[in-house]
Amino acid sequence: MPSPNDPPAALPLTLDLEDFKGDFSFDALFGSLVDELLPEFHGDDAAGVPPPPPPLLGAAPPVFPAVDELLGLFKHSCKELVDLRRQIDKRLQNLKKEVATQDAKHRKTLGELEKGVDGLFDSFARLDSRISSVGQTAAKIGDHLQSAESQRETASQTIDLIKYLMEFNSTPGDLMELSPLFSDDSRVAEAASIAQKLRSFAEEDVGRHGVTSAVGSANASRGLEVAVANLQEYCNELENRLLSRFDTASQRRELSTMAECAKILSQFNRGTSAMQHYVATRPMFIDVEIMNTDIQVVLGDDGPQADSSSIAEGLSILYKEIADTVRKEATTIMAVFPSPNEVMSILVQRVLEQRVTAILDKLLIRPSLASLPPIEEGGLLHYLRVLSVAYDKTKELAKELQSIGCGDLDIEGLTESIYVSHKDEYTEFEHASLRQLYQSKMAELRAEAKQQSESTGSIGRAKGASLNTSPQQLISVTVVTEFVRWNEEAISRCTLLFSQPTTVAANVRSIFACLLDQVSQYLTVGLDGARESLNEAAAMRDRYVIGTSVSRRVAAAAASAAEAAAAAGESSFRSFMIAVQRCASSVAYLQQYFSNTISRLLLPVDGAHPSACEDMGSAVSVVEAAAHKGLLQCIDTVMCEVERLLSSEQKATDYRSPDDGAAPDHRPTNACIRIVAYLSRVLEVAFSALEGLNKQSFLTELGNRLHKGLLNHWQKFTFSPSGGLRLKRDITEYGEFVRSFNAPSIDEKFELLGIMANVFIVAPESLASLFEGTPSIRKDALRFIQLRDDYKTAKIASMLNSIVSE
């Protein structure tokens, strides 16, 4: 190892340019420089080196013994690094000179190349222009050649056509001398094409000849009429031959042959005759057995009397079979005909116009409105139900056929045209059916009533009771519900048959008007029947009114008859109230049906809904008028019984006891007790039967009549002070009862009656103070004061004069 004192030139060279290439690491370079001088820092190698000897006593140990060697090494390394930098700088200068020289050569070469490329571009442009010019010239030459070829072909075809035309123009009806082309089965397509061209030309020429002849010009085309006739004959013969061949192939299911014939036939009238011929020869249009089976499937064993559900099931089966048949035919048509959509249009039209119409003609036999079919055989309703079912199923069939394919056919319009005659008269038949159902139901109800009357008549006569019709026979909510069910079914048919909102609204309103008439008539007749029982009870009461001078036996018989009449009146009252209650329920059900079903069909059309509301209001007002008459008769019946009870039960001694000094009786009079008991019993059904304003007006009117009747009744008696107390007790009893009416005006009247009864109780000198406290009773009180038993003895008349003058 060199000494640190050695000069730097004596040290070995430790650095090289290779050390700085690639992934340079200063730590690695530094380590390689100091490894030889510092072996103790090698890691594992330093572990085997013995530690340095301890320093001598008194001597200072060196801090870093190898520092001088390292300094020398670092100086020498720096010198080498400087030398390396100089070497690299020299190399860089040389490289720069070489790069500059090469760059100058490169630039010179690029300049020369650019000049050469510009020359090439100019050459290419001239070449492209030349090519374009040559191409245009070639295209023009090609066009001229193509035009010449086309003219040549046209001339050749024209020569051939003229030759063929001369053949057809030879002898009328003589087709034996034609070219082999027209008799060769392998060239039928070509012959058909040529024949069609010749016929078009000849017909056009004959047409021009006809025009020019009309103006007197020369007849340049005379003789082509023979060619036209012969060509037409040949085309017909060829078409028949192709159709025969087509039929043979159809029977053998040779689709390729059928397609070939159809393609050729498409040249004749655009193939219309071939399409129509194919459709007309389908078995479902010519097989009589199939047509007979159709109606058998629909009607079944029941024949024309089959119900609508059975007919619906039969139509579903038949229409499914028809759709399946059309679907199979569609497969063949798609494979055979050049224009399958046109064939499908003809097929579907034929299915609807022939097969479906034949079924409907036997199914939808319009009955006569002058002589309706019996209701036992279904009546008009049977026809309407079958019409609805048939229309619905036919619409489903039309949608199915449209999904299969029907070309440009307006299948919806065609379906509607099948039913147009039935739909034109639908509303009239629907009205007639509803009337028939109503009349039948009314006849049924009358028969039931008559049967019940005959079964119970003898018992009623034995008891002396009136033969009244029960409320169950007069009005039934169930019957009204049946009316609504008929109408709802009719509305469903109407919405099925018609789709335009205005038409639907007009028909719905007219059908609903039928229901209003039925319900109004039924309820009015029922109420009139219930009123008739009230009239019978009134007649019984009038029949047994007798005078005062009769024997006791006659009076007893009359009283018994009056009791019977009262019982009949009470029974009639109950019957009418039940009828009113059922009438109200029926009207509510009708209004609910209108809101839930009718309104939504009328609202889309301006004015339809308000008009229907007016119609319903008018119908209900008729029913209300009948009910109002009956309720007034009910009040008359009640008041007649009240007056009878007052007349028979009220005694003169009730209000003027012979022994007025006895203890007063605080109980109501017997007449009052009987009347309150009667009113409580008879009005119980009224409280439950009437509702709302009807109940309020009825009870208010009854309360006014009762108040007036009691006033008139009490004016027949004379009252003592104790009688006045008894009267006040009666008034209190009446007042407590009428308080259940919930009529404030009636309560006030009976309160004033109680106050007015004080005119019989107070002393004569206190009457003036009574009027001062309650001036509203002055008028009636002045009349009642005259009924005091001391009116004359106490000289109350003079007192009244002074009170009135004040």
Side-chain angles (χ1 to χ4, degrees), residues 469-476 522 530 574-576 578-579 582:
T469 304
S470 67
Q472 290 82 357
Q473 295 169 344
L474 294 175
I475 294 178
S476 172
Y522 173 71
R574 292 177 181 273
S575 297
F576 189 82
I578 292 174
R582 294 179 177 179

Side-chain angles (χ1 to χ4, degrees), residues 564-599:
E570 184 174 345
S571 175
S572 300
F573 180 92
R574 292 177 181 273
S575 297
F576 189 82
M577 285 299 170
I578 292 174
V580 170
Q581 183 181 26
R582 294 179 177 179
C583 182
S585 299
S586 300
V587 171
Y589 186 76
L590 176 66
Q591 292 171 337
Q592 182 181 8
Y593 168 68
F594 176 79
S595 300
N596 296 342
T597 304
I598 304 299
S599 295

Side-chain angles (χ1 to χ4, degrees), residues 372-641:
L372 302 181
I375 199 69
E376 295 79 10
E377 298 178 3
L380 286 176
L381 183 61
H382 176 72
Y383 162 73
L384 292 171
R385 284 176 173 174
V386 173
L387 172 63
S388 174
V389 165
Y391 182 81
D392 186 35
K393 295 301 179 182
T394 306
K395 293 283 283 186
E396 292 179 2
L397 173 64
K399 291 180 180 179
E400 182 68 19
L401 294 177
Q402 190 171 24
S403 66
I404 296 172
C406 59
D408 297 333
L409 178 66
D410 181 12
I411 191 170
E412 184 175 352
L414 180 59
T415 304
E416 293 296 327
S417 67
I418 296 175
Y419 288 91
V420 65
S421 61
H422 296 279
K423 292 171 69 173
D424 288 343
E425 300 178 356
Y426 160 75
T427 305
E428 187 177 358
F429 274 89
E430 195 70 78
H431 291 175
S433 174
L434 291 173
R435 287 194 299 269
Q436 185 184 34
L437 290 171
Y438 178 77
Q439 294 168 0
S440 174
K441 189 65 180 179
M442 293 300 99
E444 177 186 343
L445 294 176
R446 285 192 295 269
E448 291 178 358
K450 182 178 180 181
Q451 183 179 1
Q452 183 175 357
S453 176
E454 291 175 353
S455 62
T456 60
S458 57
I459 301 176
R461 283 189 295 272
K463 293 182 178 180
S466 173
L467 299 178
N468 296 327
T469 304
S470 67
Q472 290 82 357
Q473 295 169 344
L474 294 175
I475 294 178
S476 172
V477 180
T478 304
V479 174
V480 175
T481 304
E482 190 171 1
F483 294 164
V484 173
R485 182 175 56 80
W486 297 341
N487 199 265
E488 191 171 15
E489 181 182 346
I491 293 296
S492 66
R493 280 192 292 270
C494 175
T495 54
L496 173 66
L497 293 173
F498 302 96
S499 58
Q500 292 295 329
T502 53
T503 307
V504 171
N507 289 332
V508 165
R509 184 186 171 192
S510 65
I511 293 173
F512 182 66
C514 291
L515 175 63
L516 293 177
D517 292 339
Q518 292 174 355
V519 173
S520 175
Q521 184 177 353
Y522 173 71
L523 297 180
T524 303
V525 170
L527 290 173
D528 290 342
R531 285 176 52 214
E532 185 61 30
S533 63
L534 292 172
N535 293 332
E536 292 181 5
M540 290 180 65
R541 289 193 302 270
D542 296 339
R543 192 179 306 129
Y544 295 108
V545 174
I546 59 174
T548 55
S549 57
V550 294
S551 64
R552 184 176 299 177
R553 185 173 62 83
V554 173
S560 176
E563 289 287 346
E570 184 174 345
S571 175
S572 300
F573 180 92
R574 292 177 181 273
S575 297
F576 189 82
M577 285 299 170
I578 292 174
V580 170
Q581 183 181 26
R582 294 179 177 179
C583 182
S585 299
S586 300
V587 171
Y589 186 76
L590 176 66
Q591 292 171 337
Q592 182 181 8
Y593 168 68
F594 176 79
S595 300
N596 296 342
T597 304
I598 304 299
S599 295
R600 63 181 178 83
L601 299 173
L602 300 180
L603 286 173
V605 179
D606 293 339
H609 187 268
S611 299
C613 290
E614 292 179 4
D615 295 341
M616 185 167 63
S618 300
V620 172
S621 64
V622 172
V623 179
E624 289 178 344
H628 183 260
K629 292 180 182 179
L631 291 174
L632 292 179
Q633 287 182 260
C634 286
I635 294 176
D636 293 339
T637 300
V638 171
M639 290 308 303
C640 285
E641 179 60 15

